[in-house]
Amino acid sequence: MTDQERFPEGFLWGAATASFQIEGATTADGRGPSIWDTFADLPGTVLGGDTGEPADDHYNRYPEDIGLMRELNLGAYRFSIAWPRVLPQGSGAVNQAGIDFYDRLVDALLEAGLQPWATLYHWDLPQTLQESGGWTDRDTAEHFRDYSAVVAEALGDRVENWMTLNEPWCASFLGHYHGVHAPGHRDSVEALTAAHHLLLGHGLATQAIRATGHPSRVGMAHNQAVIRPHGASAADARAARRADGVRNRIFTDPVLKGVYPADVKADLAEVTDFSFIKDGDLETIHQPLDFLGVNYYTPEWVAGSAKGLDPATVSGEGSAWLGADPEEVHVSQGLPVTHMGWEIDPTGLFDVLQRLAGESGGIDLYVTENGCAFEDSVADDGGVHDPDRIDYYESHLRAALEAVRAGIPLRGYFAWSLLDNFEWAWGYSRRFGLIHVDYETQKRVVKDSGKWYAQLAQTSRFPNR
Ligand code: FCB
């Protein structure tokens, strides 16, 4: 193996999780309900009626989980903080027991030699705030700032790396337009309003973290979609531009450039007058960032119409994305898929890193999520043999290495996920972990992919297979 095959010195190896997906203990020590508790309790929202209990009971088992992170040779762990543990009502009284949990977690991580990377919002909005409109209410952005200040004050002497939001597109559009995530609404104006307030919250939280005076690096974990036109027609190119606008540029242009894209505003002029954007908001949103987190799983292909296409490959008819013309659709390419049905194409990871390196002006990039679900089970020999997952990781990490060699400032990689966990609307049916979890017994088994990743993290070279 040549040195060309090695990741650079100091490249950070991590794994990621999110509070609601792993913690369980949803009523312990004064935690208030979140919108995901409420949503999961409604019939028909989550596959199999699964809820945030028991998840991985990580709230009680975090010492064991940190032991496993050490076995995996991780240098960093990306986790999220549950807002309703810290502020059960969303604002006002701080629940010290909630802070204490993250205090213990951070101390234990540092003791084990791991860098804590904290996400402030991975979708578990306190239910009380939802009752006054959630992210469609402008005040929520200010509550998010205040909550971020509380957390950054409490942990900022030990946590240096912060991500404000995880995937604002999911929180706004999947939650308020497609209705498949909490709070489960289907309303274009709500989705656009929520998106703006999430971005405003990002800007305010960034300022609040820095105002603590603790040394900090602030970024966001963004799921930039890789949108490709299916064919060469002008209609397909137009569909790709429009989808890219509402999936990507509506978030990255305000954050990275301080503007909303003119074509998106024009495309959506009949949906909203954008009066939720107030004077000064874009300046607040456009804070200089220390790094950008990129979450990548799969690319998407779009077409201007389904005419002439194999109907089995087409989806999203009627409303493929917010503001789509009714004829515009998604088109699958017949590539191998994961258990999510997501097509596997590592070239998308290279493309997204290249594009964001260009748009973010040379700040550090981290892959803050990348990984795959497959139908794993514990074999008779006690192991979990998941060669498909190793293939997925290896091919995507080869694309990441190619990006590094091309001069893209990619500084680290977080696998999604450390543990099998509650995969939102799919409940416990989709397993993304490097570590298998038996939800009945809470027994953890490091999968073959976890052992492979441990070798990679130790040597920064691809293990022989
Ligand atoms: C991302 C989410 C993460 C996880 C993965 C599979 O969109 O950020 O919580 O569910 O997808």
Side-chain angles (χ1 to χ4, degrees):
M1 224 182 257
T2 65
D3 252 343
Q4 291 278 301
E5 293 272 81
R6 195 177 194 284
F7 284 84
E9 201 59 43
F11 192 85
L12 192 64
W13 295 104
T17 63
S19 45
F20 193 75
Q21 294 180 275
I22 64 163
E23 286 179 359
T26 54
T27 54
D29 299 336
R31 178 187 179 277
S34 77
I35 56 173
W36 267 96
D37 296 274
T38 309
F39 184 70
D41 279 346
L42 297 173
T45 53
V46 176
L47 195 66
D50 291 346
T51 69
E53 294 284 1
D56 297 329
D57 191 30
H58 172 80
Y59 188 77
N60 296 305
R61 293 170 196 261
Y62 72 90
E64 177 186 352
D65 292 337
I66 293 175
L68 291 164
M69 293 176 210
R70 290 194 62 169
E71 243 178 73
L72 263 46
N73 297 316
L74 303 186
Y77 171 53
R78 174 178 176 232
F79 61 98
S80 81
I81 306 224
W83 185 346
R85 284 200 195 281
V86 176
L87 290 148
Q89 304 295 316
S91 63
V94 173
N95 175 35
Q96 190 54 42
I99 298 268
D100 291 347
F101 168 65
Y102 295 106
D103 242 342
R104 294 194 294 276
L105 176 70
V106 164
D107 284 345
L109 286 166
L110 291 170
E111 213 167 293
L114 282 124
Q115 290 181 22
W117 283 54
T119 309
L120 286 159
Y121 187 68
H122 203 128
W123 311 347
D124 38 6
L125 185 75
Q127 178 61 32
T128 321
L129 296 184
Q130 187 59 45
E131 267 130 49
S132 48
W135 286 108
T136 65
D137 177 13
R138 192 177 165 89
D139 290 348
T140 298
E142 293 182 7
H143 296 315
F144 182 59
R145 173 199 55 209
D146 297 345
Y147 148 72
S148 300
V150 168
V151 175
E153 280 295 350
L155 305 179
D157 57 338
R158 286 153 294 152
V159 174
E160 187 177 354
N161 291 286
W162 297 94
M163 286 142 287
T164 54
L165 306 176
N166 180 68
E167 302 189 354
W169 178 80
C170 294
S172 47
F173 290 22
L174 290 184
H176 298 81
Y177 175 68
H178 295 284
V180 295
H181 278 193
H185 299 180
R186 293 173 199 265
D187 183 297
S188 307
V189 178
E190 274 198 26
L192 293 163
T193 310
H196 180 69
H197 293 152
L198 278 152
L199 291 177
L200 187 61
H202 156 78
L204 293 169
T206 303
Q207 291 173 330
I209 296 165
R210 291 185 173 143
T212 63
H214 292 301
S216 64
R217 296 171 76 225
V218 188
M220 176 192 275
H222 168 58
N223 58 329
Q224 173 91 0
V226 176
I227 308 272
R228 295 170 171 167
H230 172 68
S233 70
D236 289 8
R238 178 175 178 276
R241 176 190 63 72
R242 287 159 60 84
D244 179 59
V246 291
R247 289 295 297 276
N248 297 322
R249 289 180 288 114
I250 199 169
F251 298 102
T252 48
D253 281 11
V255 170
L256 300 173
K257 303 180 193 158
V259 293
Y260 269 106
D263 63 320
V264 172
K265 285 181 94 173
D267 287 345
L268 298 176
E270 282 177 20
V271 176
T272 176
D273 59 5
F274 289 90
S275 56
F276 47 78
I277 307 173
K278 306 291 183 208
D279 281 355
D281 284 3
L282 281 158
E283 288 72 32
T284 306
I285 294 168
H286 183 213
Q287 297 298 310
L289 294 183
D290 299 294
F291 67 90
L292 189 62
V294 183
N295 296 359
Y296 172 80
Y297 292 92
T298 183
E300 294 166 37
W301 286 264
V302 298
S305 110
K307 275 195 210 95
L309 300 176
D310 173 357
T313 65
V314 166
S315 61
E317 296 94 326
S319 180
W321 54 88
L322 192 155
D325 286 347
E327 324 69 82
E328 291 174 332
V329 288
H330 279 106
V331 191
S332 68
Q333 306 293 300
L335 299 175
V337 295
T338 68
H339 195 200
M340 298 298 284
W342 296 345
E343 291 183 280
I344 302 174
D345 184 351
T347 66
L349 180 57
F350 181 90
D351 289 356
V352 77
L353 290 169
Q354 187 176 49
R355 175 173 175 185
L356 287 174
E359 291 187 5
S360 62
I363 58 174
D364 288 349
L365 300 181
Y366 292 85
V367 173
T368 36
E369 286 182 26
N370 176 234
C372 51
F374 287 108
E375 291 179 81
D376 309 306
S377 54
V378 180
D380 289 344
D381 64 6
V384 177
H385 308 306
D386 57 344
D388 290 347
R389 184 172 288 101
I390 301 179
D391 288 346
Y392 182 97
Y393 275 122
E394 177 159 355
S395 60
H396 286 74
L397 279 157
R398 287 193 183 276
L401 182 57
E402 200 186 319
V404 172
R405 285 207 216 114
I408 290 167
L410 177 67
R411 307 295 180 214
Y413 177 96
F414 292 81
W416 183 272
S417 180
L418 179 72
L419 302 161
D420 290 341
N421 61 47
F422 176 84
E423 177 46 38
W424 309 114
W426 296 93
Y428 298 103
S429 72
R430 296 295 185 275
R431 294 182 175 273
F432 273 92
L434 292 168
I435 298 170
H436 184 275
V437 178
D438 177 330
Y439 297 109
E440 301 274 308
T441 61
Q442 291 297 336
K443 185 172 172 358
R444 277 84 161 126
V445 175
V446 178
K447 300 178 191 178
D448 287 354
S449 58
K451 296 178 184 165
W452 177 90
Y453 193 68
Q455 282 185 57
L456 173 68
Q458 186 171 40
T459 60
S460 283
R461 290 174 189 279
F462 293 104
N464 290 325
R465 294 175 63 190

